[in-house]
Amino acid sequence: MKRSRPSRKPRTSVAGVSGLIAIAYLTVGNALGRTLGKALVGTRVVDYRTGDRLTWGRALLRALMMGVLALPAGLGFLSVLGRDGRGWHDLVAHSLVVIADPARTPAHTPG
């Protein structure tokens, strides 16, 4: 009687799929200028030099760098405590987070 071998199907890692989804979400959000969280707090991501939207390449670079910074228990994000508030992900991608519409922030609300 011939024994059948268990099939060796590749297993998809939940962490791997989640990571790819996060990178895709952050790349699209960075390229469009804002993720859902940035929209909720009234900020957006722009090119540091021009003030325009990030290119898709810079958006992907920023998202990948955010993934790298998150690896050591998120400690890499402490880099935003520097003098200009830009983290390593912003420095690498030449990006800057700015207030999306200064007239709509609580500090600038008329009345």
Side-chain angles (χ1 to χ4, degrees):
M1 183 167 170
K2 191 174 183 181
R3 293 180 103 192
S4 63
R5 290 184 148 180
S7 97
R8 295 208 176 229
K9 294 179 183 176
R11 293 184 182 178
T12 305
S13 161
V14 173
V17 172
S18 298
L20 289 175
I21 291 171
I23 294 296
Y25 171 74
L26 289 171
T27 299
V28 171
N30 288 333
L32 296 177
R34 58 175 45 182
T35 58
L36 179 59
K38 285 193 179 9
L40 288 173
V41 298
T43 60
R44 64 188 175 103
V45 179
V46 297
D47 184 291
Y48 181 73
R49 294 172 278 189
T50 66
D52 295 331
R53 286 183 178 174
L54 294 181
T55 63
W56 285 97
R58 290 202 186 279
L60 176 61
L61 183 62
R62 187 174 191 272
L64 290 172
M65 189 64 183
M66 289 173 80
V68 170
L69 293 176
L71 288 177
L75 294 176
F77 290 108
L78 292 177
S79 62
V80 300
L81 300 176
R83 60 185 165 97
D84 63 355
R86 293 172 66 211
W88 291 333
H89 55 296
D90 290 318
L91 296 172
V92 168
H94 302 286
S95 62
L96 177 67
V97 177
V98 297
I99 297 172
D101 184 3
R104 296 183 67 186
T105 60
H108 294 91
T109 303

